[in-house]
Amino acid sequence: MALAVLPQVMNSFVVSLMREEDVMTDEVPRYASEKALLGYCSFHHMLLALRARHPEIGEVAADRLRRFIQGQRSKAHAPDLGQLLVYMAVTEDVRWEELAAAVLAESHVRGVRWLLRDRPRLQCAVSAEDRLRWSFEGRATSSRLLMFQAFFLRRVARPAGETLAASLARYDRQFGQPTAPQRERLVRACREILRVDGWPAVYEGLGLRAPEEQELAEELCAAVHQSLQLGYHGSPTLLQSGSSAGAGAPPERVGIKKCLRQAFKDMEPQKARRKADGQAGARSRRAVGPAAPPRQDGPQVPRGAFAALRDDSDEGSESE
């Protein structure tokens, strides 16, 4: 269950970076930020190493991302947006530019429940200025989390022109840590993100065009209605009234593990075909090629790599 556990751990490091008390002081202690960043990178290294060992991890991640982009965005399909963003760090098949707008739009909808807890007036007609200000104040931390994930994906996890195999090799050389220039950029980016004070900077940080104020206010207002229709907020009694589920009935709650378990099950035929093709190729090479050199007593592990993941003794192991 690598895609269930490791992204959750990585998200916890990001949350520790964007704590509200650090925002209030407009600063984050360098030692604390570096500790969280190094932990985040270490687990990203582990996730890349597992992906290299089990290609289906990247395939499932890409499949979940494509489904989200194509419209399967409810909590039944994508229970956790933070974990979904981490999937971008283990696949080369989906670009950030394809995902960014969809993630932000869905985060507007999912954030309504928490906004209304402190600002119930947002359910009613309010001025565009008030809606923009109150919505940002109520969702500043979650917006900063999105901005950090976007920065990490584009500057560390998948820099322009670098493959994931190259990223893994870089991590191996660095014992799972970012390079010194990357570390400085990450710390500097965290401080800049903590100082963000409005929606235009959020859109810029995500690589998106910031809409006009009235357009954004209308989008945020529409998110309130969509949240109600999806059952993300409101009275469960009212939403579930009637003998059958209507348009306003809340979706089935499906956990991340259940979603991933089904996704990996769907990938089993492809995995079986790859294994069969590999065995057929090996038989063909043995039939026509020279004898293979004797196997060495122990695996040769590159500096900084995960030795357990380079051992060939567990061919039949499964990873989810």
Side-chain angles (χ1 to χ4, degrees):
M1 276 295 184
L3 282 181
V5 177
L6 296 183
Q8 184 176 25
V9 175
M10 292 167 70
N11 274 330
S12 70
F13 283 112
V14 183
V15 171
S16 71
L17 282 169
M18 303 294 158
R19 293 176 304 177
E20 194 66 29
E21 54 265 34
D22 292 330
V23 177
M24 296 300 293
T25 61
D26 199 33
E27 190 59 85
V28 57
R30 184 180 179 90
Y31 76 90
S33 64
E34 286 197 349
K35 183 177 180 181
L37 290 171
L38 296 182
Y40 189 93
C41 290
S42 293
F43 281 100
H44 181 225
H45 179 208
M46 187 182 299
L47 197 53
L48 286 180
L50 285 166
R51 172 191 174 274
R53 179 70 175 181
H54 302 281
E56 60 269 24
I57 288 178
E59 294 167 1
V60 167
D63 179 68
R64 305 308 299 177
L65 290 164
R66 289 195 200 96
R67 290 174 183 269
F68 185 88
I69 293 169
Q70 293 166 3
Q72 295 185 13
R73 301 177 188 174
S74 72
K75 292 183 179 180
H77 297 104
D80 190 306
L81 291 183
Q83 294 201 34
L84 185 79
L85 288 172
V86 176
Y87 296 170
M88 287 289 297
V90 291
T91 179
E92 297 170 334
D93 298 333
V94 180
R95 296 181 298 111
W96 170 252
E97 292 76 13
E98 300 176 84
L99 181 69
V103 166
L104 184 57
E106 180 63 19
S107 71
H108 285 331
V109 177
R110 297 193 187 190
V112 168
R113 176 186 176 187
W114 311 108
L115 284 176
L116 296 183
R117 184 178 59 182
D118 298 324
R119 295 284 188 179
R121 286 186 59 192
L122 286 171
Q123 288 188 103
C124 310
V126 297
S127 68
E129 181 182 357
D130 286 343
R131 187 173 296 279
L132 293 176
R133 184 177 71 255
W134 292 342
S135 295
F136 177 78
E137 290 173 353
R139 296 193 49 234
T141 299
S142 61
S143 297
R144 291 181 176 112
L145 296 179
L146 286 177
M147 292 176 68
F148 175 84
Q149 295 279 30
F151 180 87
F152 183 85
L153 286 169
R154 294 185 293 171
R155 298 292 184 268
V156 179
R158 288 173 48 184
E162 183 175 273
T163 65
L164 290 180
S167 297
L168 176 58
R170 168 169 50 79
Y171 272 133
D172 285 346
R173 293 191 299 270
Q174 295 287 128
F175 294 96
Q177 302 302 298
T179 63
Q182 286 177 330
R183 186 181 306 187
E184 288 298 322
R185 285 198 297 270
L186 282 167
V187 172
R188 187 166 58 250
C190 284
R191 291 174 174 170
E192 292 174 355
I193 290 171
L194 285 173
R195 297 188 181 103
V196 166
D197 59 0
W199 286 115
V202 172
Y203 277 81
E204 181 182 357
L206 298 179
L208 296 170
R209 178 193 68 84
E212 297 295 330
E213 289 189 357
Q214 185 60 41
E215 179 185 354
L216 179 55
E218 292 173 358
E219 182 179 343
L220 294 172
C221 183
V224 175
H225 297 292
Q226 188 176 354
S227 173
L228 181 62
Q229 291 174 347
L230 291 171
Y232 291 171
H233 79 276
S235 170
T237 302
L238 293 175
L239 290 174
Q240 298 180 26
S241 61
S243 58
S244 61
E252 177 189 2
R253 296 300 298 273
V254 180
I256 190 73
K257 290 185 179 180
K258 185 175 181 180
C259 282
L260 290 172
R261 192 175 293 114
Q262 182 60 46
F264 276 96
K265 184 177 180 180
D266 294 341
M267 287 290 175
E268 286 179 359
Q270 297 180 30
K271 184 177 179 181
R273 284 196 297 270
R274 279 200 305 268
K275 185 175 182 180
D277 291 343
Q279 291 174 343
R283 286 194 297 268
S284 176
R285 287 191 296 272
R286 284 197 297 269
V288 301
R295 182 175 176 176
Q296 298 180 0
D297 292 336
Q300 299 299 308
V301 182
R303 177 173 176 257
F306 289 93
L309 301 179
R310 306 297 176 124
D311 188 355
D312 292 330
S313 62
D314 57 345
E315 285 293 334
S317 63
E318 296 289 337
S319 172
E320 293 186 7

